[in-house]
Structure formats: structure tokens, C-alpha cells
Amino acid sequence: DPMAKTQIAPSVEDQTSLEGVGSGSGLLDLTRESDDTSLGAEVLDHIDMEGVVGSGMAGAEAGVMAAKEQERDVLRQLRAAVKDAFYHALRDEQLLAFVSDNQRRYQEIVALNERRFRSGDISEVEFRKIELENLKFLTEVEEARRGLSEGRQLLGRLIGVEHAVAPSGVLRGP
């Protein structure tokens, strides 16, 4: 008789095993199966990925981004240094041309005053003052040459050229 006896289906407790197997963490795995693919192992793997490993990956990504940003900054600074060195070399070349022209003109003045000295129009002291002034012009020329040479060497080192020697007049601005 169907009314005489009611059958009870097996309970949830009968279907679930309460064994301490699976993940090996000491936690009870409340699963129907007791292997490593159980719910407990999946939860622990998920916790691992988001915890220690996840923070390690985030830290690594931050480090990579910082390194890329630092590389961009170094390249920006290098470009600025190359531009600066190039324009200084241009300026030094123009300065050398200017002081060389001044020295050449002053040399003509020295030659004229030497004739005046030989003819007795000026004293030896006056002539020596003129010669001394010529030495100042020669010093300016040598300083401009040295500055241009140093500027070209710096530019060469920045762009990776061992011996950056360019003949006079080779550097041109934009």
C-alpha cells in the first residue's frame, strides 16, 4: 500500500563523505569524491592564485612598467643631451669663425703698426701693447678651437661615434 509506509530518500549526510583527504591542507573536504580535483583543492588553488601568486604577478607587472617608464625617460634625456650637444657644437663653430676673423683683422692692424714702429711713428712700448693685444686674440681662437673639439667629442660619444671629427663648416643647423 502506498499509504502504509513512506519511504525516506537517503539524506545528504549519507551522500557526503567527511574525510580529511584531498588538498592535504588539514581542512575537511566536504565532497562526494576524495581526490585532488575536489572542491577543497579548487578553493585552495584559487586562494593561492589571488593571494601570494597574484600579488607576485602584480608586483612583477609593476616592475616591468617601471622599467619601461625608466627606459622612456632615459631615451628622452639622451635625445635632449644630443640636441643640446649639437647646438653647442654649432655655436662653437660659429664662435670659432667669428674669433678667427677678428684675429685675422687684428693681425692686419699689427702689420700696419709694425711699419709705423719701424718708421719711428710710434714707440716700441706702444707697438708691444699692440702685439700683446694680438696674443689675446690668438688665445680666443685657441679657446674656441678647444671648445669646438670638446663639443664634437661629446656629441660623438652621445651618438656612439668613437672619433667625432668633422671638418670646419660641416655642422649645419636645421
Side-chain angles (χ1 to χ4, degrees):
D1 176 33
M3 293 299 241
K5 198 175 195 186
T6 308
Q7 247 184 327
I8 301 176
S11 69
V12 173
E13 288 88 14
D14 294 297
Q15 295 177 6
T16 309
S17 90
L18 297 174
E19 299 174 25
V21 290
S23 66
S25 67
L27 298 175
L28 290 177
D29 288 330
L30 301 174
T31 65
R32 293 180 188 188
E33 301 173 11
S34 63
D35 61 277
D36 284 339
T37 62
S38 65
L39 177 62
E42 289 174 13
V43 168
L44 288 176
D45 287 343
H46 185 65
I47 291 171
D48 250 358
M49 284 304 289
E50 301 227 351
V52 177
V53 175
S55 67
M57 289 177 66
E61 288 176 9
V64 168
M65 293 301 292
K68 287 180 180 180
E69 187 61 34
Q70 186 177 16
E71 179 186 17
R72 281 191 292 271
D73 189 46
V74 167
L75 290 174
R76 182 188 55 76
Q77 290 176 359
L78 179 61
R79 278 192 297 274
V82 168
K83 287 177 185 177
D84 188 53
F86 178 76
Y87 287 116
H88 277 93
L90 281 176
R91 186 201 65 210
D92 290 343
E93 192 173 81
Q94 291 171 348
L95 178 65
L96 177 60
F98 177 75
V99 297
S100 294
D101 189 48
N102 283 347
Q103 193 279 326
R104 183 189 55 76
R105 288 180 183 168
Y106 199 78
Q107 187 62 42
E108 293 173 5
I109 293 171
V110 171
L112 288 172
N113 281 303
E114 184 177 8
R115 282 186 251 157
R116 289 180 64 208
F117 167 67
R118 298 222 185 269
S119 68
D121 291 342
I122 60 171
S123 69
E124 183 177 355
V125 173
E126 288 298 315
F127 179 65
R128 297 298 174 211
K129 286 180 185 178
I130 294 170
E131 283 184 322
L132 184 60
E133 192 69 26
N134 188 43
L135 290 176
K136 289 180 185 176
F137 281 98
L138 289 171
T139 301
E140 287 178 358
V141 169
E142 289 307 312
E143 287 175 356
R145 281 189 183 133
R146 181 183 46 79
L148 177 59
S149 176
E150 289 173 358
R152 286 178 176 170
Q153 289 174 7
L154 174 61
L155 182 59
R157 284 192 305 271
L158 287 171
I159 62 173
V161 177
E162 286 293 318
H163 302 288
V165 178
S168 181
V170 170
L171 295 176
R172 296 285 182 243

